[in-house]
Structures are given as structure tokens and as C-alpha cells.
Amino acid sequence: MKRLLSSVICVGILLSTLSTQNVLANESAIKSHVVESGGQYEKRGYILEVINEVDDPAIDPIISEFVELYFDVYPKLVTKYAADPKTATHKVILKFDPTYDGVAYADAGAGMIVVSSKWILDRPWDLGLFTHELSHIVQAYPRYDDQTWWITEGIADYIRYEYGPHHEGWKFREPKETDNYNSGYGETARFLLWIEQNKNTKVVDILNKQMQQNTFHIHDFEEITGQSVEDLWAEYILNPYVKTKYKIKTE
């Protein structure tokens, strides 16, 4: 009788253990998968709310790719570039607007990104623009003016290059005679990459923090590298080679 009772107890403990493991496994599976409800997607504490004002089914697979990219990239950007990852917004609103005639823009204060539906429908490969705009959300710089716009956009395109996704339609190019360090976007991003590879590997991290703290000054380049930004640019123009690596999916 004692052996039988002992066997029953052991079986009961085993079943209880297996049940607990199944519950934990199910909870883990739920956390590791995106949960969608009414245009709002959630995974591991991050939320993406999608507002789709486009009456074209061709936008649906594009939205799916944006959602996948958000959960793959945005948490990494928060960890790496947010002033305080703990207090940085974990919710972003993504709106596809058929009336917007630009490309895309971010409102960091509202945690919103607006994408021109015409642009992305014509160029469905241009998913990297979302990484660029997500960068602006985590940058959350207090200034965006004639003195700072170029470094803001340059860092955002640097981040786009670092995190992708990549495509043949968007790559860095060597500088032209008409370019300058403050040309912004890809031109400034490539220059920052050159400084990173030749002068100071922490240049983007330092500039990002200075911009967030509203202490950035053009003379900071000299403190970071030992050379003025003008001298750096002159040296860059003479030998603009940078190592680049693009992970491009084949169609």
C-alpha cells in the first residue's frame, strides 16, 4: 500500500511539474511572438500602432515588413542610442498617409512616424527609411535647426547603414566636390563612418550624447579626434575610402 501511495504521489508530482513547464513554455512563446489587436502590435513590452489610411491592398505586405523590422531593430536602437533606455518610449505610432507628398518624417515628442504611402508603394524596397525615422525617435534631440539638422540626419543615416535593411537602391557614395561635412544624410553619415574607422571608434556615440544633452558644438570634433572638422573633411576628400558591408537579400 505504501509503495502504491508513493507511486501515486510521484506521478502527481511529475504531472504537476510537466503542467508548470507547459505553462511557462506557453508564456514564453506568447512573449516571443507578436500579438496583434486592431492595428496594434505588441512584443516583449514594445508596441507598434499602425494607422493605415491607404485604400490599396498592395500596402498590406509592406505593413507586415514594417512590423517585422520594428520589433527587430527598434529595441536595439533604444538600448544603444536612447539617452535613458529605461524611460525611452516603447510605443511608436506608424501612419501611412496618402496625402503626404514627402518621403517620411518623425515626431519624436509624439512618438509618431508618418510615411508617404505613394513613396513606399512606388519603392517597396525602401524599408530602411523606417530605421532612419526610428533613429529620430530614440535620438529625441532638443534642437533641430540650421546648426544641428545635418548632424541629426547624418547620425540617422549612419544608424540606417549599421542596422539596415540594405538594398541596391540605397548605398553610400564617395563625396562630390559640392559636398561638405554638413551636407547631412548619407554624405555626413559616410564621413562619420570614415572618422570612426580612422580617428575615433566612439565618434557617433559621443556626438549622439552631446546632441541629447544639447551641448554639441562644432569644435567638439577637435576634442574627439584632435583635428578640426574642416581639417578632417580635407583629409577625407583626399582619401575617402571606407570599409562598407551591405547585406542585400536577393529577390
Side-chain angles (χ1 to χ4, degrees):
M1 185 68 178
K2 289 182 179 180
R3 289 181 180 177
L4 178 61
L5 182 60
S6 176
S7 298
V8 170
I9 292 173
C10 288
V11 170
I13 292 173
L14 176 61
L15 290 175
S16 177
T17 301
L18 290 173
S19 178
T20 302
Q21 289 175 343
N22 287 335
V23 169
L24 293 174
N26 288 336
E27 289 179 351
S28 177
I30 291 172
K31 289 180 181 179
S32 64
H33 288 80
V34 176
V35 177
E36 189 272 335
S37 177
Q40 182 164 287
Y41 303 80
E42 184 172 0
K43 178 180 178 181
R44 296 186 183 277
Y46 285 88
I47 298 172
L48 179 66
E49 180 182 341
V50 178
I51 301 173
N52 178 22
E53 298 181 346
V54 184
D55 187 19
D56 186 340
I59 199 71
D60 294 337
I62 295 174
I63 290 176
S64 295
E65 290 190 272
F66 269 73
V67 171
E68 183 180 353
L69 180 61
Y70 173 79
F71 290 107
D72 179 47
V73 169
Y74 186 64
K76 298 174 185 176
L77 301 189
V78 169
T79 300
K80 174 70 173 175
Y81 296 105
D84 183 356
K86 293 182 179 179
T87 59
T89 182
H90 283 203
K91 178 180 179 180
V92 173
I93 301 170
L94 172 63
K95 180 179 179 180
F96 292 92
D97 188 350
T99 67
Y100 178 52
D101 60 0
V103 178
Y105 67 88
D107 182 342
M112 173 179 277
I113 293 171
V114 176
V115 176
S116 164
S117 59
K118 183 180 186 309
W119 177 275
I120 199 63
L121 284 169
D122 289 343
R123 305 165 185 81
W125 55 264
D126 197 14
L127 293 173
L129 70 83
F130 192 31
T131 303
H132 176 104
E133 300 305 335
L134 287 171
S135 300
H136 288 321
I137 300 295
V138 296
Q139 284 174 326
Y141 299 158
R143 288 180 62 193
Y144 188 91
D145 50 33
D146 290 344
Q147 285 73 46
T148 61
W149 77 268
W150 60 274
I151 195 70
T152 303
E153 301 297 348
I155 290 175
D157 259 5
Y158 167 92
I159 294 173
R160 173 176 178 165
Y161 163 74
E162 286 291 321
Y163 290 86
H166 300 136
H167 190 274
E168 289 290 349
W170 189 93
K171 285 185 175 182
F172 289 151
R173 60 166 176 78
E174 290 197 1
K176 299 177 180 178
E177 290 185 5
T178 54
D179 291 335
N180 205 339
Y181 65 85
N182 58 2
S183 294
Y185 295 98
E187 289 69 48
T188 297
R190 193 180 189 279
F191 178 50
L192 293 174
L193 184 62
W194 179 86
I195 294 175
E196 178 185 89
Q197 293 180 4
N198 293 279
K199 304 296 179 178
N200 190 327
T201 59
K202 299 295 184 182
V203 59
V204 173
D205 293 338
I206 296 170
L207 292 173
N208 179 57
K209 290 299 181 185
Q210 290 174 332
M211 287 292 293
Q212 288 170 335
Q213 296 166 3
N214 200 19
T215 60
F216 170 74
H217 192 280
I218 197 65
H219 297 310
D220 293 333
F221 279 93
E222 190 163 359
E223 293 183 12
I224 296 169
T225 68
Q227 296 173 254
S228 69
V229 71
E230 291 83 7
D231 288 344
L232 288 166
W233 182 261
E235 184 178 339
Y236 171 61
I237 290 296
L238 290 175
N239 184 15
Y241 172 77
V242 293
K243 296 178 182 177
T244 55
K245 185 176 182 180
Y246 298 95
K247 297 178 181 178
I248 299 174
K249 294 180 180 179
T250 55
E251 299 296 338

